[in-house]
Amino acid sequence: MLIFSVFKTLTDQQVVVELKNDLSITGTLKSVDQFLNIRLDNIKVLDEARHPHMMAVKNCFIRGSVVRYVQLPAEHVDTQLLEDATRRETTTQIKR
Amino acid sequence: MDPSSSGIQEPFDLIRLSLSERVYVKLRGDRELTGILHAYDGHMNLILSDVEETILLVDVDNPTPNPATINVAKRKMEMLFVRGDGVILVSPPSR
């Protein structure tokens, strides 16, 4: 849930999604759900020469399970807030 | 030593104590990361900053007689979300 919240705060930011098949897609993060499925607008494939079939695609929905990494804009991530939230979430899980 | 006094009762506690520290992460597909850990969850989804990724590339078509040649590709990323299903292990800094 925590990571889901992080992605929600990053909507309308520019991200790079790297998939497990090595395809890297950059675009504007439009929405995210609990499975970390991702909707991107104005997408661009980083290595277009290797993936020419993606050139016509302007926006896409990415199934969360095929994502390897998402590169986030560091200036929009409050690392101190993340660490506190992680500690809070993990300790409440133990008490449960 | 009583394990409860150190705050380590379950495996995830080792990761919790590594928050805001540089960790080593081994991933599927011969990938390794080092970075500062800022967040994680029960799936081992991670958020790291100041990340260096190392990819080990074993060149099968290598014409040289030495078959053990391994190429290493490195790259750096400022802030990275890592999906938990690719994580093999997370190791705290060696101190």
Side-chain angles (χ1 to χ4, degrees):
Chain A
M1 228 47 195
L2 181 133
I3 305 259
F4 172 44
S5 312
V6 173
F7 276 108
K8 274 199 290 190
T9 66
L10 292 172
T11 49
D12 292 319
Q13 300 297 332
Q14 198 74 15
V15 296
V16 183
V17 181
E18 183 176 322
L19 308 184
K20 287 180 178 141
N21 65 358
D22 291 328
L23 182 64
S24 288
I25 305 171
T26 179
T28 312
L29 182 66
K30 287 319 283 185
S31 60
V32 65
D33 67 14
Q34 54 167 332
F35 305 110
L36 307 183
N37 298 322
I38 290 171
R39 250 200 55 220
L40 290 181
D41 270 3
N42 299 318
I43 67 162
K44 201 161 175 61
V45 171
L46 294 193
D47 190 357
E48 281 202 320
R50 210 155 70 86
H51 307 279
H53 55 289
M54 289 294 292
M55 275 172 73
V57 186
K58 291 289 167 261
N59 52 64
C60 65
F61 173 97
I62 300 170
R63 184 178 155 101
S65 65
V66 302
V67 172
R68 180 187 292 133
Y69 302 137
V70 182
Q71 292 179 46
L72 310 172
E75 64 275 21
H76 293 284
V77 179
D78 184 338
T79 55
Q80 191 58 55
L81 199 74
L82 276 185
E83 288 162 22
D84 293 345
T86 302
R87 285 192 191 95
R88 221 175 305 122
E89 190 172 271
T90 52
T91 46
T92 52
Q93 275 169 2
I94 291 163
K95 279 176 190 147
R96 157 168 65 82
Chain B
M1 193 177 81
D2 178 12
S4 60
S5 65
S6 63
I8 296 189
Q9 282 125 24
E10 53 166 297
F12 267 118
D13 292 347
L14 188 70
I15 304 182
R16 193 175 73 243
L17 294 173
S18 306
L19 279 169
S20 80
E21 305 247 27
R22 183 163 285 275
V23 293
Y24 163 83
V25 184
K26 188 171 170 62
L27 297 170
R28 300 177 74 149
D30 298 318
R31 285 161 194 267
E32 298 173 352
L33 301 173
T34 64
I36 299 167
L37 181 67
H38 296 297
Y40 69 89
D41 65 13
H43 303 287
M44 289 248 252
N45 293 320
L46 311 171
I47 294 178
L48 305 168
S49 73
D50 192 17
V51 185
E52 184 174 71
E53 182 191 36
T54 307
I55 310 172
L56 300 172
L57 305 158
V58 181
D59 193 352
V60 284
D61 304 322
N62 198 330
T64 59
N66 180 8
T69 308
I70 294 172
N71 290 313
V72 176
K74 281 183 192 264
R75 61 175 173 158
K76 292 192 177 188
M77 288 160 284
E78 214 177 353
M79 186 70 67
L80 190 70
F81 160 78
V82 182
R83 190 169 167 94
D85 59 1
V87 175
I88 294 173
L89 68 86
V90 179
S91 169
S94 49
R95 269 191 290 110

